Short mmCIF file of all heavy atoms in Angstrom, two decimals:
data_model
loop_
_atom_site.label_atom_id
_atom_site.label_comp_id
_atom_site.label_asym_id
_atom_site.label_seq_id
_atom_site.Cartn_x
_atom_site.Cartn_y
_atom_site.Cartn_z
N MET A 1 13.62 4.09 1.97
CA MET A 1 13.00 2.81 2.19
C MET A 1 13.51 2.15 3.47
O MET A 1 12.90 1.26 4.03
CB MET A 1 13.26 1.89 0.98
CG MET A 1 12.61 2.37 -0.29
SD MET A 1 10.83 2.62 -0.15
CE MET A 1 10.26 0.93 0.02
N TRP A 2 14.65 2.58 3.94
CA TRP A 2 15.26 2.06 5.21
C TRP A 2 14.35 2.34 6.35
O TRP A 2 14.05 1.42 7.15
CB TRP A 2 16.60 2.72 5.44
CG TRP A 2 17.54 2.66 4.29
CD1 TRP A 2 17.85 3.63 3.39
CD2 TRP A 2 18.31 1.51 3.89
NE1 TRP A 2 18.72 3.18 2.47
CE2 TRP A 2 19.06 1.91 2.74
CE3 TRP A 2 18.50 0.21 4.38
CZ2 TRP A 2 19.95 1.01 2.11
CZ3 TRP A 2 19.37 -0.63 3.80
CH2 TRP A 2 20.06 -0.26 2.62
N ASP A 3 13.79 3.57 6.48
CA ASP A 3 12.86 3.88 7.56
C ASP A 3 11.52 3.21 7.32
O ASP A 3 10.85 2.77 8.29
CB ASP A 3 12.69 5.37 7.63
CG ASP A 3 13.88 6.05 8.31
OD1 ASP A 3 14.75 5.34 8.82
OD2 ASP A 3 13.96 7.30 8.24
N PHE A 4 11.10 3.08 6.05
CA PHE A 4 9.83 2.48 5.75
C PHE A 4 9.72 1.03 6.23
O PHE A 4 8.75 0.62 6.88
CB PHE A 4 9.54 2.53 4.25
CG PHE A 4 8.30 1.74 3.83
CD1 PHE A 4 7.04 2.25 4.06
CD2 PHE A 4 8.43 0.50 3.24
CE1 PHE A 4 5.90 1.56 3.69
CE2 PHE A 4 7.32 -0.24 2.84
CZ PHE A 4 6.05 0.28 3.12
N VAL A 5 10.81 0.23 5.96
CA VAL A 5 10.73 -1.16 6.35
C VAL A 5 10.79 -1.31 7.87
O VAL A 5 10.20 -2.24 8.45
CB VAL A 5 11.85 -1.99 5.67
CG1 VAL A 5 11.54 -2.10 4.17
CG2 VAL A 5 13.22 -1.41 5.92
N GLN A 6 11.49 -0.38 8.54
CA GLN A 6 11.50 -0.43 10.03
C GLN A 6 10.13 -0.08 10.58
O GLN A 6 9.73 -0.69 11.61
CB GLN A 6 12.59 0.52 10.53
CG GLN A 6 13.99 0.14 10.22
CD GLN A 6 14.38 -1.23 10.69
OE1 GLN A 6 14.02 -1.60 11.81
NE2 GLN A 6 15.13 -1.99 9.88
N GLU A 7 9.44 0.80 9.93
CA GLU A 7 8.09 1.17 10.36
C GLU A 7 7.18 -0.07 10.20
O GLU A 7 6.41 -0.38 11.14
CB GLU A 7 7.56 2.33 9.56
CG GLU A 7 6.11 2.66 9.85
CD GLU A 7 5.58 3.70 8.88
OE1 GLU A 7 6.35 4.33 8.10
OE2 GLU A 7 4.33 3.83 8.83
N LYS A 8 7.31 -0.76 9.12
CA LYS A 8 6.45 -1.95 8.85
C LYS A 8 6.82 -3.10 9.85
O LYS A 8 5.96 -3.87 10.24
CB LYS A 8 6.59 -2.39 7.42
CG LYS A 8 6.01 -1.42 6.42
CD LYS A 8 4.55 -1.12 6.72
CE LYS A 8 4.02 0.04 5.87
NZ LYS A 8 2.63 0.40 6.24
N LYS A 9 8.08 -3.09 10.26
CA LYS A 9 8.47 -4.11 11.25
C LYS A 9 7.85 -3.81 12.58
O LYS A 9 7.32 -4.70 13.27
CB LYS A 9 10.02 -4.14 11.35
CG LYS A 9 10.52 -5.21 12.31
CD LYS A 9 12.00 -5.22 12.40
CE LYS A 9 12.45 -6.28 13.44
NZ LYS A 9 13.92 -6.28 13.63
N ARG A 10 7.82 -2.52 12.95
CA ARG A 10 7.18 -2.13 14.23
C ARG A 10 5.69 -2.42 14.23
O ARG A 10 5.06 -2.78 15.24
CB ARG A 10 7.43 -0.66 14.50
CG ARG A 10 8.86 -0.30 14.89
CD ARG A 10 8.93 1.10 15.37
NE ARG A 10 8.69 2.08 14.34
CZ ARG A 10 9.63 2.58 13.54
NH1 ARG A 10 10.92 2.17 13.68
NH2 ARG A 10 9.32 3.43 12.58
N GLN A 11 5.12 -2.37 13.03
CA GLN A 11 3.68 -2.66 12.89
C GLN A 11 3.39 -4.17 12.84
O GLN A 11 2.20 -4.56 12.79
CB GLN A 11 3.15 -2.01 11.62
CG GLN A 11 3.13 -0.50 11.70
CD GLN A 11 2.77 0.11 10.33
OE1 GLN A 11 2.47 -0.56 9.35
NE2 GLN A 11 2.77 1.47 10.29
N GLY A 12 4.43 -4.98 12.81
CA GLY A 12 4.24 -6.44 12.80
C GLY A 12 3.99 -6.97 11.38
O GLY A 12 3.67 -8.18 11.23
N LEU A 13 4.17 -6.13 10.34
CA LEU A 13 3.96 -6.61 8.95
C LEU A 13 5.22 -7.24 8.40
O LEU A 13 5.14 -7.91 7.33
CB LEU A 13 3.48 -5.45 8.10
CG LEU A 13 2.17 -4.79 8.56
CD1 LEU A 13 1.78 -3.61 7.67
CD2 LEU A 13 1.05 -5.83 8.57
N ILE A 14 6.33 -7.02 9.03
CA ILE A 14 7.57 -7.62 8.62
C ILE A 14 8.25 -8.16 9.87
O ILE A 14 8.33 -7.49 10.89
CB ILE A 14 8.51 -6.61 7.97
CG1 ILE A 14 7.97 -6.10 6.61
CG2 ILE A 14 9.91 -7.23 7.68
CD1 ILE A 14 8.80 -4.97 6.00
N ARG A 15 8.73 -9.42 9.83
CA ARG A 15 9.42 -10.01 10.95
C ARG A 15 10.93 -9.70 10.93
O ARG A 15 11.53 -9.35 11.94
CB ARG A 15 9.19 -11.53 10.99
CG ARG A 15 7.73 -11.91 11.19
CD ARG A 15 7.26 -11.61 12.61
NE ARG A 15 5.84 -11.84 12.81
CZ ARG A 15 5.30 -13.04 13.08
NH1 ARG A 15 6.08 -14.12 13.24
NH2 ARG A 15 3.96 -13.16 13.22
N HIS A 16 11.53 -9.87 9.74
CA HIS A 16 12.98 -9.67 9.63
C HIS A 16 13.28 -8.88 8.33
O HIS A 16 12.72 -9.21 7.28
CB HIS A 16 13.71 -11.01 9.55
CG HIS A 16 13.52 -11.88 10.78
ND1 HIS A 16 14.04 -11.57 12.00
CD2 HIS A 16 12.75 -12.99 10.96
CE1 HIS A 16 13.65 -12.49 12.86
NE2 HIS A 16 12.90 -13.33 12.27
N VAL A 17 14.16 -7.88 8.45
CA VAL A 17 14.46 -7.00 7.30
C VAL A 17 15.93 -7.19 6.92
O VAL A 17 16.82 -7.22 7.77
CB VAL A 17 14.22 -5.53 7.66
CG1 VAL A 17 14.62 -4.63 6.51
CG2 VAL A 17 12.79 -5.29 8.05
N GLY A 18 16.17 -7.36 5.64
CA GLY A 18 17.50 -7.46 5.12
C GLY A 18 17.57 -7.01 3.67
O GLY A 18 16.66 -6.34 3.21
N PHE A 19 18.62 -7.40 2.98
CA PHE A 19 18.76 -7.03 1.58
C PHE A 19 19.57 -8.06 0.81
O PHE A 19 20.38 -8.80 1.41
CB PHE A 19 19.38 -5.62 1.44
CG PHE A 19 20.76 -5.48 1.96
CD1 PHE A 19 21.88 -5.73 1.15
CD2 PHE A 19 20.99 -5.10 3.32
CE1 PHE A 19 23.16 -5.57 1.65
CE2 PHE A 19 22.28 -4.98 3.79
CZ PHE A 19 23.36 -5.21 2.98
N SER A 20 19.31 -8.10 -0.50
CA SER A 20 20.12 -8.93 -1.38
C SER A 20 21.13 -8.02 -2.05
O SER A 20 20.91 -6.80 -2.16
CB SER A 20 19.25 -9.67 -2.39
OG SER A 20 18.55 -8.73 -3.21
N PHE A 21 22.24 -8.64 -2.51
CA PHE A 21 23.38 -7.83 -2.92
C PHE A 21 24.16 -8.50 -4.01
O PHE A 21 24.48 -9.68 -3.90
CB PHE A 21 24.27 -7.58 -1.68
CG PHE A 21 25.45 -6.70 -1.94
CD1 PHE A 21 25.34 -5.31 -1.88
CD2 PHE A 21 26.72 -7.25 -2.15
CE1 PHE A 21 26.43 -4.54 -2.14
CE2 PHE A 21 27.79 -6.45 -2.35
CZ PHE A 21 27.69 -5.08 -2.33
N HIS A 22 24.51 -7.74 -5.05
CA HIS A 22 25.37 -8.24 -6.16
C HIS A 22 26.36 -7.12 -6.50
O HIS A 22 26.22 -6.42 -7.50
CB HIS A 22 24.58 -8.54 -7.42
CG HIS A 22 23.72 -9.78 -7.33
ND1 HIS A 22 24.22 -11.05 -7.51
CD2 HIS A 22 22.39 -9.94 -7.10
CE1 HIS A 22 23.24 -11.96 -7.41
NE2 HIS A 22 22.11 -11.30 -7.16
N SER A 23 27.36 -6.94 -5.68
CA SER A 23 28.36 -5.93 -6.02
C SER A 23 29.67 -6.27 -5.25
O SER A 23 29.92 -7.42 -4.89
CB SER A 23 27.86 -4.56 -5.70
OG SER A 23 28.69 -3.54 -6.27
N THR A 24 30.46 -5.26 -4.99
CA THR A 24 31.79 -5.47 -4.39
C THR A 24 31.73 -5.54 -2.88
O THR A 24 30.85 -4.96 -2.21
CB THR A 24 32.73 -4.32 -4.79
OG1 THR A 24 32.26 -3.12 -4.18
CG2 THR A 24 32.75 -4.17 -6.31
N PRO A 25 32.73 -6.19 -2.28
CA PRO A 25 32.79 -6.23 -0.84
C PRO A 25 32.99 -4.87 -0.21
O PRO A 25 32.48 -4.60 0.89
CB PRO A 25 34.01 -7.15 -0.56
CG PRO A 25 34.75 -7.24 -1.81
CD PRO A 25 33.78 -7.03 -2.90
N GLU A 26 33.64 -3.94 -0.91
CA GLU A 26 33.81 -2.59 -0.42
C GLU A 26 32.47 -1.90 -0.28
O GLU A 26 32.23 -1.17 0.70
CB GLU A 26 34.74 -1.79 -1.32
CG GLU A 26 36.19 -2.27 -1.36
CD GLU A 26 36.43 -3.55 -2.17
OE1 GLU A 26 35.50 -3.90 -2.97
OE2 GLU A 26 37.50 -4.11 -2.06
N GLU A 27 31.63 -2.07 -1.29
CA GLU A 27 30.31 -1.48 -1.22
C GLU A 27 29.41 -2.10 -0.18
O GLU A 27 28.64 -1.41 0.50
CB GLU A 27 29.66 -1.52 -2.61
CG GLU A 27 28.44 -0.58 -2.72
CD GLU A 27 27.95 -0.48 -4.19
OE1 GLU A 27 28.50 -1.12 -5.07
OE2 GLU A 27 26.99 0.29 -4.37
N LEU A 28 29.58 -3.39 -0.01
CA LEU A 28 28.82 -4.09 1.04
C LEU A 28 29.26 -3.54 2.41
O LEU A 28 28.36 -3.34 3.30
CB LEU A 28 29.05 -5.58 0.98
CG LEU A 28 28.31 -6.44 2.01
CD1 LEU A 28 26.79 -6.25 1.90
CD2 LEU A 28 28.67 -7.91 1.84
N GLU A 29 30.49 -3.31 2.63
CA GLU A 29 31.02 -2.75 3.87
C GLU A 29 30.36 -1.39 4.10
O GLU A 29 29.94 -1.12 5.25
CB GLU A 29 32.53 -2.60 3.75
CG GLU A 29 33.19 -1.95 4.97
CD GLU A 29 33.21 -2.89 6.16
OE1 GLU A 29 33.50 -4.09 6.01
OE2 GLU A 29 32.97 -2.40 7.28
N GLN A 30 30.25 -0.58 3.07
CA GLN A 30 29.65 0.77 3.24
C GLN A 30 28.18 0.68 3.64
O GLN A 30 27.73 1.38 4.52
CB GLN A 30 29.77 1.53 1.94
CG GLN A 30 31.20 1.89 1.56
CD GLN A 30 31.31 2.50 0.16
OE1 GLN A 30 30.31 2.66 -0.56
NE2 GLN A 30 32.51 2.84 -0.27
N ILE A 31 27.46 -0.25 3.00
CA ILE A 31 26.04 -0.33 3.27
C ILE A 31 25.78 -0.88 4.70
O ILE A 31 24.96 -0.32 5.44
CB ILE A 31 25.33 -1.25 2.24
CG1 ILE A 31 25.37 -0.61 0.85
CG2 ILE A 31 23.90 -1.55 2.61
CD1 ILE A 31 24.90 -1.53 -0.28
N LEU A 32 26.51 -1.90 5.09
CA LEU A 32 26.32 -2.45 6.42
C LEU A 32 26.76 -1.47 7.51
O LEU A 32 26.20 -1.47 8.60
CB LEU A 32 27.05 -3.78 6.56
CG LEU A 32 26.41 -4.92 5.77
CD1 LEU A 32 27.31 -6.15 5.88
CD2 LEU A 32 25.01 -5.25 6.31
N SER A 33 27.79 -0.66 7.22
CA SER A 33 28.21 0.32 8.18
C SER A 33 27.16 1.42 8.36
O SER A 33 26.92 1.96 9.46
CB SER A 33 29.55 0.95 7.78
OG SER A 33 30.56 -0.05 7.80
N ALA A 34 26.52 1.78 7.24
CA ALA A 34 25.50 2.87 7.26
C ALA A 34 24.18 2.33 7.79
O ALA A 34 23.38 3.11 8.36
CB ALA A 34 25.28 3.39 5.88
#
């Protein structure tokens, strides 16, 4: 889904892409680094 939302952004169907999160700071670090 990471590539999918970027594709939709290039198409102008999404202006800003992000995510919501309910877990540990260590896991958040991993996701943002990736």
